Amino acid sequence: MAFPTIKALEDCADFSKTVEPFIPQLYTLPSKVLDVIARREGLLDLYAETNPLISGFAISIVLGAIFLVAAEINRNYSQVDRAWSLLPTIYIAHFNAWARLAGIPSQRLDAALLFSAAWSARLTFNYWRKGGYSVGSEDYRWEIIRQYVPKAAFHVFNWTFISFIQSILLFALAAPAYPILLASQFEPNLTSSDIAYTSVELLLILTEWIADQQQWEFQSAKQQYRKTAKVPSGFKQDDLDRGFITTGLWSYSRHPNFACEQTIWFVLYQWSCYATRNLYSWAGVGPSFLIMLFQGSTWLTELITAGKYPEYKAYQRQVGMFAPTWITGYKVPPAKAPKVIRTSEIAKQIEEKERRKQKQKQK
């Protein structure tokens, strides 16, 4: 049995009915896979007989082991980063493929796969143009962390968080598609709500793309300015001298792309809640952990940035980290006027020094 027997729509998000009964499949899956490999047949049957949430979770564990080995061999800890933009979409495609194989309506999963594919295309392109897929490329923050963490402790950090936990997280982000799959038994057709959720997701992806493009154009202009000492068209010298972008979406949020990234997966979770008529469910674990992860990683990013650019602290005071805190954008702090010392003040200082000298001589 690979599919739960559910009598009510609300039960589609019930962990005890839709997840817990299939956990034993996780323990027996390795031996079954080995048996299929030995027989060289039956892989599709095994796939269909295994609950899609369990098989997806098992894949994330296997990938975690691959990331771990690759990181330790290459001493490069951005192995998960290279797969980050692809895996959630692959997992949603996995739920979609399983539904089709089981004869379950998949229109709603098609919609989820649509927005996820657009998300993957945007993030993969942005990561590629930044050189993320270049040989030896690594997130600069890992090097900084290694400077402050003992070598043995960092290896433990890689064995746990970097390789396995992040891999499982990428599956957990897509896990809300499972309750949507189950709910499709009761509401097989695409509803107006599904279209609305998909539209919101695509709008968030578009906003994220705009933020990335604004950042890319600014950084490109800054590099050109540093090489040629000429200000590129469309930019101001003061902005480039500042060193970080404060215009466009970045005038209202210090990290508009990060804000959209977190919201995208939280909206998918809310979509699953709406589809199953629940206020909350276990499927929120992935998006919640992602939000907590962004708090820590963004704090580290800003700590580094504030150490590089003097004006960044003023930017932090005015602009919210993710959500806008005011309707007006960032305003450059006024330059401090130099203190003007009048001639009369200088004369008074000289007279005061002379008086002190006379008193010392008299003593």
Side-chain angles (χ1 to χ4, degrees), residues 27-308:
Y27 309 140
T28 59
L29 188 58
S31 61
K32 290 182 178 180
V33 170
L34 292 175
D35 182 55
V36 166
I37 294 174
R39 291 188 289 109
R40 297 183 181 181
E41 61 180 8
L43 181 60
L44 188 61
D45 291 336
L46 177 61
Y47 180 75
E49 293 168 0
T50 306
N51 181 274
L53 189 74
I54 298 302
S55 56
F57 181 74
I59 292 171
S60 71
I61 294 176
V62 172
L63 289 176
I66 295 173
F67 295 142
L68 171 62
V69 173
E72 292 296 342
I73 291 176
N74 296 288
R75 290 293 186 266
N76 184 306
Y77 300 92
S78 283
Q79 307 303 321
V80 179
D81 297 342
R82 291 177 173 82
W84 190 285
S85 64
L86 301 173
L87 286 180
T89 298
I90 290 174
Y91 289 125
I92 292 178
H94 153 67
F95 286 116
N96 194 313
W98 195 93
R100 292 176 182 276
L101 191 62
I104 299 171
S106 60
Q107 289 186 16
R108 306 173 93 178
L109 290 175
D110 290 340
L113 186 58
L114 171 65
F115 95 78
S116 187
W119 172 84
S120 284
R122 181 211 65 81
L123 187 55
T124 301
F125 171 72
N126 197 54
Y127 189 70
W128 166 79
R129 68 176 174 179
K130 288 182 176 181
Y133 295 109
S134 302
V135 177
S137 173
E138 185 183 43
D139 190 323
Y140 69 96
R141 290 172 294 188
W142 294 137
E143 178 61 31
I144 294 174
I145 292 174
R146 284 199 294 268
Q147 294 175 5
Y148 296 95
V149 176
K151 189 175 181 179
F154 188 82
H155 282 302
V156 173
F157 186 56
N158 178 40
W159 300 338
T160 53
F161 173 77
I162 298 178
S163 296
F164 281 102
I165 293 178
Q166 285 195 119
S167 180
I168 294 171
L169 169 62
L170 292 173
F171 167 71
L173 293 179
Y178 179 61
I180 295 176
L181 185 159
L182 299 178
S184 296
Q185 298 175 98
F186 298 89
E187 294 183 353
N189 298 321
L190 200 66
T191 67
S192 58
S193 299
D194 297 322
I195 296 173
Y197 274 109
T198 305
S199 300
V200 170
E201 295 284 36
L202 292 173
L203 180 60
L204 286 167
I205 293 167
L206 175 61
T207 305
E208 197 171 16
W209 180 84
I210 292 172
D212 285 338
Q213 189 62 25
Q214 290 174 346
Q215 178 73 271
W216 175 260
E217 291 174 356
F218 176 83
Q219 294 297 334
S220 299
K222 186 174 72 171
Q223 291 178 10
Q224 182 180 345
Y225 170 61
R226 288 179 174 177
K227 290 179 180 178
T228 64
K230 294 181 180 179
V231 178
S233 176
F235 293 88
K236 297 179 181 179
Q237 183 175 350
D238 289 344
D239 291 335
L240 298 177
D241 287 335
R242 183 183 303 114
F244 59 93
I245 185 172
T246 61
T247 57
L249 294 175
W250 302 81
S251 179
Y252 301 94
S253 169
R254 302 203 300 271
H255 303 280
N257 50 351
F258 291 176
C260 290
E261 184 70 12
Q262 297 168 79
T263 308
I264 284 169
W265 299 109
F266 185 77
V267 168
L268 177 61
Y269 161 61
Q270 287 299 304
W271 186 355
S272 73
C273 290
Y274 184 85
T276 59
R277 304 295 185 267
N278 283 275
L279 291 176
Y280 56 89
S281 75
W282 60 268
V285 172
S288 299
F289 188 82
L290 181 72
I291 291 172
M292 291 188 291
L293 178 61
F294 264 102
Q295 303 306 309
S297 63
T298 306
W299 171 83
L300 177 59
T301 300
E302 293 207 328
L303 184 66
I304 298 168
T305 305
K308 291 169 60 178

